[in-house]
Amino acid sequence: MSNILRRGRLEAAQNEEILRYTSSMEADRWIFDADIAVDLAHTVMLREQDIINKEDCSKILSGLLRIREEGMEKLDFSYEDIHISLESRLIDMVGEDVGGRMHSGRSRNDEVSTCIRLALREELTGLLEEIFALRNTLFSLAEKHINTLMPGFTHLQHAQPTTLAHHLCAHEAALGRDFDRVQDAFSRVNICPLGAAAFASTGFNLNRKRTQELLGFEGLLENSMDAVSSRDYLIECASVFTNMMINLSRMAEELVVWSSSEFNFIELDDMYASTSSIMPQKKNPDTAELMRGKTGVAVGALMSLVTICKGLPLSYNRDLQEATPNIWRSVETVRASVRVMEGMIRTMRVHPEVLAAQSVVGFTTATELADTIVRETGIPFRTAHQIVGMLAKEGEKPTMEKIDSAAKIVLGKSLSGLGLTENMIKEALDPVSNIKRRKLTGGPAPEEMRRYLSKRQTELELNKQEIATLKDIIDSAFENLLAIVNEYRKA
Ligand code: ARG
């Protein structure tokens, strides 16, 4: 059959190059299932509104189900997009007098945004499940390392002792916010533009609420012009994915650094490593490096999206077709990265003895020593900071004697005279008591860590239920749609 779209207004068929340049067929693989669902829902609604008759409705629905079964490969890829290719396949199957009625009261403009939203909704629920798994794995590992000392860093310099649990939970906290942002974005993705037609609504008596419900959307994008023009939900999601990739790349960077011989804090499982083609001894943390690198995909997708959308006049412009593949690239990358990170964390070997030994290297207990001096002698913190700083500069082991001689220079008197004892100094220099003292909300003290973990795990359980609810709404909408389709097919 000749091209059903171009046979009226246009003369020349497109040559290969122009077709390839303008077609979205390849990227439209992402919305094949969604497009069928949208066609099914629209057709059911057309019947219910008496816009098409029973027999035509039944034939269109049967045809659509067959196309669904045959899969995307059976479609004609010489069409400019999936919507028109699918309609053409339907017309091949059931004839134009029947199949040619499906697109009544609709445009590809409202259709495509509905499809993107449906497919993206699935991706977002998948992503939520994957973030859940990663957070869960971080918690399991943290539980095992509540007492595992390690050096905490600022400026990548040893700063103060902390625990591995505390460090892992810091990453989890960031991922928890990513989770919230995905949920938030979901609420703006899950609204239905269908029924807006090209942009100016339609004179057909459609029931927009009905198609919204059949597709399991939470609400309607009412203004028909906004409905077809807006891609802010893509920018929002791409931004959420970017933030998330940045968080993951920071974790990945630590895995790279921690598995170096200089650090030797962990060893990644061989699954995630590569070796050198020339240096036989090498075990390289390639998977983590690639995760750092793939962050560029998400950042790039976001930049493409904002650039494409900037300055577009209302309403639909074909530029928008170029926006869509960016969201698929980005979501594919972020979802894979979350899954891979989960595996890397779950399987890595931790070296607790190295972590503990390193926890005091570089006078990491200096802050606690200064704090102890303040609490025990009553001198100002700034003065104690100077005294301890002088010891650090000399690289001296901070004994009572050394502290007193520094104090005499700074203060003109000794701190032992103000009540500081050898025992207090010893306590202050002990990393275990350092940690124990940091029991304020969010600190690394084991008792506080246990409280924190149990609170966060309870919240994570709630998140699990929220995911299940979302999935349930989507799945039951689709089951319901198929049940209705089967009814109308028989009629
Ligand atoms: N494939 C297009 C897209 O992804 C939808 C088609 C709208 N085309 C048009 N000429 N109005 O945006």
Side-chain angles (χ1 to χ4, degrees):
M1 190 207 307
S2 66
N3 186 312
I4 58 164
L5 188 64
R6 301 180 65 86
R7 65 193 178 183
R9 173 68 178 81
L10 302 172
E11 288 278 326
Q14 286 173 305
N15 71 28
E16 279 271 314
E17 183 173 56
I18 304 303
L19 185 64
R20 222 177 305 120
Y21 195 79
T22 54
S23 165
S24 60
M25 278 302 278
E26 278 304 321
D28 287 347
R29 290 178 193 280
W30 283 87
I31 56 171
F32 174 72
D33 290 334
D35 205 24
I36 301 267
V38 170
D39 285 347
L40 291 171
H42 182 69
T43 305
V44 164
M45 183 275 297
L46 289 179
R47 172 66 213 119
E48 289 175 351
Q49 297 299 105
D50 217 10
I51 297 169
I52 57 172
N53 71 32
K54 259 203 222 155
E55 294 71 32
D56 291 350
C57 172
S58 160
K59 285 181 193 150
I60 294 172
L61 295 176
S62 301
L64 288 171
L65 292 180
R66 239 181 83 199
I67 295 172
R68 177 162 164 254
E69 216 126 273
E70 288 176 356
M72 174 93 181
E73 291 319 313
K74 280 275 155 53
L75 293 185
D76 181 351
F77 275 66
S78 71
Y79 274 102
E80 64 184 49
D81 64 32
I82 188 166
H83 317 293
I84 201 70
S85 178
L86 212 153
E87 187 183 329
S88 144
R89 178 89 189 107
L90 180 74
I91 289 173
D92 272 350
M93 278 176 176
V94 300
E96 183 157 342
D97 190 40
V98 176
R101 297 173 192 278
M102 178 177 71
H103 207 56
S104 313
R106 195 176 65 174
S107 155
R108 286 179 296 164
N109 300 351
D110 60 338
E111 186 179 1
V112 70
S113 191
T114 311
C115 293
I116 299 168
R117 286 166 183 276
L118 279 180
L120 189 52
R121 190 171 79 168
E122 292 282 330
E123 296 298 320
L124 294 182
T125 36
L127 176 58
L128 286 172
E129 286 182 306
E130 286 150 0
I131 304 173
F132 171 87
L134 174 54
R135 292 170 68 196
N136 211 25
T137 294
L138 284 166
F139 282 145
S140 306
L141 193 60
E143 268 176 340
K144 291 192 199 117
H145 292 285
I146 289 180
N147 290 300
T148 303
L149 291 172
M150 69 174 284
F153 296 82
T154 61
H155 313 266
L156 203 58
Q157 307 283 327
H158 284 206
Q160 292 176 347
T162 187
T163 66
L164 185 56
H166 193 227
H167 194 116
L168 294 170
C169 284
H171 285 305
E172 186 286 324
L175 292 168
R177 288 189 298 276
D178 287 323
F179 187 97
D180 295 346
R181 278 188 282 264
V182 175
Q183 277 186 319
D184 216 38
F186 185 97
S187 69
R188 272 174 294 278
V189 168
N190 196 23
I191 355 184
C192 188
L194 199 63
F199 76 91
S201 185
T202 170
F204 282 102
N205 179 31
L206 303 187
N207 183 347
R208 292 195 67 193
K209 202 75 201 147
R210 179 63 170 154
T211 37
Q212 173 217 312
E213 280 164 9
L214 286 172
L215 294 169
F217 282 111
E218 186 65 39
L220 271 183
L221 274 143
E222 289 197 8
N223 183 294
S224 60
M225 206 180 252
D226 172 55
V228 299
S229 313
S230 68
R231 293 295 185 273
D232 50 4
Y233 64 103
L234 294 186
I235 295 175
E236 181 176 6
C237 286
S239 153
V240 171
F241 302 157
T242 299
N243 222 326
M244 173 134 220
M245 281 307 292
I246 288 170
N247 283 331
L248 290 172
S249 78
R250 297 181 72 184
M251 292 172 76
E253 162 66 5
E254 288 188 346
L255 295 181
V256 171
V257 172
W258 288 7
S259 52
S260 69
S261 0
E262 282 72 17
F263 276 75
N264 193 27
F265 287 1
I266 56 146
E267 183 176 348
L268 289 179
D269 188 87
D270 282 0
M271 163 101 82
Y272 302 98
S274 285
T275 188
S276 158
S277 60
I278 176 172
M279 299 168 279
Q281 87 286 10
K282 293 293 302 271
K283 175 171 176 179
N284 298 324
D286 289 42
T287 311
E289 296 167 65
L290 283 162
M291 199 171 294
R292 272 189 325 210
K294 283 174 194 278
T295 304
V297 174
V299 176
L302 175 61
M303 289 308 111
S304 295
L305 273 162
V306 295
T307 311
I308 290 165
C309 294
K310 180 198 164 294
L312 284 184
L314 294 182
S315 59
Y316 180 86
N317 299 275
R318 191 69 180 274
D319 315 41
L320 294 177
Q321 175 174 298
E322 211 59 25
T324 315
N326 289 291
I327 206 65
W328 308 136
R329 261 196 291 284
S330 186
V331 76
E332 190 170 43
T333 304
V334 73
R335 288 191 61 184
S337 300
V338 175
R339 291 193 299 268
V340 169
M341 180 58 83
E342 191 279 326
M344 272 198 293
I345 301 279
R346 182 168 34 76
T347 57
M348 73 187 186
R349 197 150 7 106
V350 176
H351 301 153
E353 43 339 301
V354 179
L355 287 163
Q358 287 294 321
S359 73
V360 286
V361 170
F363 198 2
T364 55
T365 51
T367 313
E368 183 50 37
L369 181 58
D371 290 350
T372 299
I373 291 172
V374 170
R375 286 194 299 267
E376 301 296 345
T377 68
I379 69 168
F381 174 77
R382 189 53 61 222
T383 314
H385 182 273
Q386 185 185 353
I387 294 169
V388 178
M390 283 168 70
L391 298 181
K393 186 171 185 184
E394 300 306 322
E396 305 263 23
K397 186 167 166 32
T399 59
M400 188 74 248
E401 201 188 329
K402 302 278 181 206
I403 292 172
D404 270 345
S405 59
K408 277 189 198 127
I409 298 169
V410 175
L411 258 164
K413 51 186 168 189
S414 77
L415 293 180
S416 47
L418 293 174
L420 189 71
T421 66
E422 286 281 3
N423 227 5
M424 292 168 188
I425 298 169
K426 207 172 133 217
E427 273 274 311
L429 298 180
D430 175 23
V432 175
S433 41
N434 264 251
I435 299 293
K436 271 202 192 126
R437 286 177 184 179
R438 279 151 174 74
K439 56 180 185 225
L440 297 185
T441 304
E447 57 172 297
E448 165 55 13
M449 229 29 257
R450 271 188 276 273
R451 179 205 67 81
Y452 176 88
L453 268 169
S454 107
K455 172 175 164 254
R456 294 287 293 176
Q457 279 166 317
T458 310
E459 287 165 6
L460 191 63
E461 273 312 303
L462 285 180
N463 287 158
K464 191 177 183 177
Q465 286 161 27
E466 287 159 6
I467 302 172
T469 309
L470 286 184
K471 283 186 64 158
D472 200 47
I473 292 171
I474 296 174
D475 291 349
S476 50
F478 194 64
E479 276 163 31
N480 181 46
L481 174 62
L482 280 186
I484 293 169
V485 164
N486 271 328
E487 284 301 305
Y488 281 100
R489 220 156 55 106
K490 280 185 233 139

